[in-house]
Amino acid sequence: MTTLKAGLGDAQAVVIGGGLAGLLTAWVLAERVARVVVVEQDRLPEGPVPRRGVPQSTHVHGLGVRGLRTLERLLPGFTGELTGAGAPMLDLAGDLAMRNPHGWAAVFPSGLGFVCASRPLVEWTVRRMVRTAPNIVFHEGTRVTDLTGNASAVTGVRLHTAEGPDHDRPTLTADLVVDATGRGSHVDTWLEQLGCVPPPKEVIDPHIGYASRIYRVPEGHRAAWQACYIQGGPPGPHRGGVLAPLEGGRWIVTLIGSGADRPSTRERDFLPYARGLADPLIADSIAHAEPLTGITGSHATSNRRRLIRPSARMPGNLLLTGDALCCFNPVYGQGMTAAALGAALLGECLTERPELSGISPRYHTRLTTLTNSFWDMAAAADNVLPDTEGTPPSWSQRLASRYMDRVQAACTRDPRVHLTFLEVLHSLRPPSSLLAPGIALRALAGRGAGQGRPAPATSGTP
């Protein structure tokens, strides 16, 4: 941990939420303020196990390439900690078999490495590393009931512990408060209590559902691929699925569907649903694999964001980050990357101007700009689903959706287009890269056949 940087050495910051966004934010702040208090409603587990406050933790998670690189920059040695715990490192185009509605994407060594790890392992690894900072304190089993202060500035938070009496509401003072409580944030209520108007929201809900299960990798498993993503969409079925390797010699399988075709958590339905994907590769792989868990489900998949304008009447030292500000349909694997980028951005803002009192407008403006491309990609993809509700697509989003269909078709036959698509998907390039003349010509050419189906897995298990 580095020494405190000049300017904010006497300040205390309170971070509400001990998930990935909260942990990374606390780590960044600990380099700049005297004390950081993380308030977390859960009792945090001493190990990589799911917890109640992260209901998506039992489903497949994707830490994008840029997200992994950002985490490694914030927490040097992070990648080695994951791989040392058994999480496999994969090549994004060489080891991941991707099938879009037009066929299987081109396979080649891309040089884009990413780690397949469970969400509990990712969060536990970050938490262990963050706990090494001597000026970060955790209040576990504690929730924030409201903020103190006024519409111009917050002065602290009121706390309630699960074991304490209802009338006991101690106050924790703060020079900066960061809401990192995720989708369930109560910030709108807190702002109203301070005399502020909550920021407007934008919602795009594709009514997607997940069902997930973990399997033991079959003994003697052999395949040219290590992970598989089968995307739904016309002209095939809208349902999709992901099979990804995890630490401990395990697979996690998440099945995805929308509207009335969402997967159930019934034992008898899981494998038949997988057989209804556009290709039976995942179903064939798990047909004789040993299940290690039951089946868990989730329908919390809407895209939601709060639009905090620079002119908004809001405390200048109150920040929203992670899913509290902007959350995405988890199928696109953007959440952890956005959390890492948000923490890194906060460090940049405080390095440029080490002041807490008026940081809110400049931080939120820059974070919204940073996540706009994530939002646009998720909106373009979800708005083509038949059951999507919410903000209707703009003409530019409709045009982008049509063009992306051509890009995905080209991905099945053209490694250069597929590489650029992956770099955009993982935030290594801006979306405008797909409009570069060389890529656009290849995408619009529409010639050539895609590659065939990947070879099925083999194992020593009958």
Side-chain angles (χ1 to χ4, degrees), residues 60 96-105 210 225 227-233 236-244 252-257 273-286 331-332 408 453-454:
V60 70
L96 173 61
M98 295 183 64
R99 191 190 193 284
N100 64 45
H102 299 277
W104 292 97
Y210 300 130
W225 48 270
C228 177
Y229 173 36
I230 299 175
Q231 179 184 340
H238 284 285
R239 61 177 64 176
V242 180
L243 181 153
I252 184 169
V253 176
T254 295
L255 303 178
I256 308 159
Y273 191 95
R275 291 211 177 278
L277 302 183
D279 190 282
L281 190 63
I282 292 176
D284 291 344
S285 300
I286 64 174
V331 73
Y332 305 118
Q408 287 201 301
R453 180 178 188 259

Side-chain angles (χ1 to χ4, degrees), residues 310-347:
S311 59
R313 189 165 182 256
M314 182 173 173
N317 60 340
L318 172 64
L319 304 182
L320 279 65
T321 194
D323 284 0
L325 180 69
C326 184
C327 58
F328 311 95
N329 182 344
V331 73
Y332 305 118
Q334 299 165 318
M336 292 194 290
T337 294
L341 293 176
L345 174 63
L346 178 57

Side-chain angles (χ1 to χ4, degrees), residues 140 415 457:
E140 299 178 33

Side-chain angles (χ1 to χ4, degrees), residues 3 60 99 115 143 191 240 256 269 313:
T3 56
V60 70
R99 191 190 193 284
V115 178
R143 64 185 177 89
L191 287 172
I256 308 159
D269 293 338
R313 189 165 182 256

Side-chain angles (χ1 to χ4, degrees), residues 339-402:
L341 293 176
L345 174 63
L346 178 57
E348 293 172 11
C349 288
L350 290 175
T351 298
E352 294 165 3
R353 192 190 310 171
E355 300 172 4
L356 300 179
S357 59
I359 191 174
S360 175
R362 56 194 175 98
Y363 175 73
H364 289 133
T365 297
R366 291 175 63 176
L367 184 55
T368 298
T369 300
L370 191 64
T371 57
N372 271 342
S373 61
F374 294 169
W375 180 268
D376 288 342
M377 286 190 291
D382 281 349
N383 269 317
V384 303
L385 297 175
D387 298 291
T388 298
E389 293 182 340
T391 306
S394 65
W395 69 268
S396 59
Q397 288 174 334
R398 288 194 294 267
L399 185 62
S401 180
R402 292 182 181 180

Side-chain angles (χ1 to χ4, degrees), residues 165-191:
D166 285 342
H167 60 79
D168 186 15
R169 297 286 192 274
T171 299
L172 185 63
T173 61
D175 299 287
L176 177 73
V177 174
V178 182
D179 179 6
T181 55
R183 286 176 178 263
S185 171
H186 296 288
V187 71
D188 291 348
T189 300
W190 297 339
L191 287 172

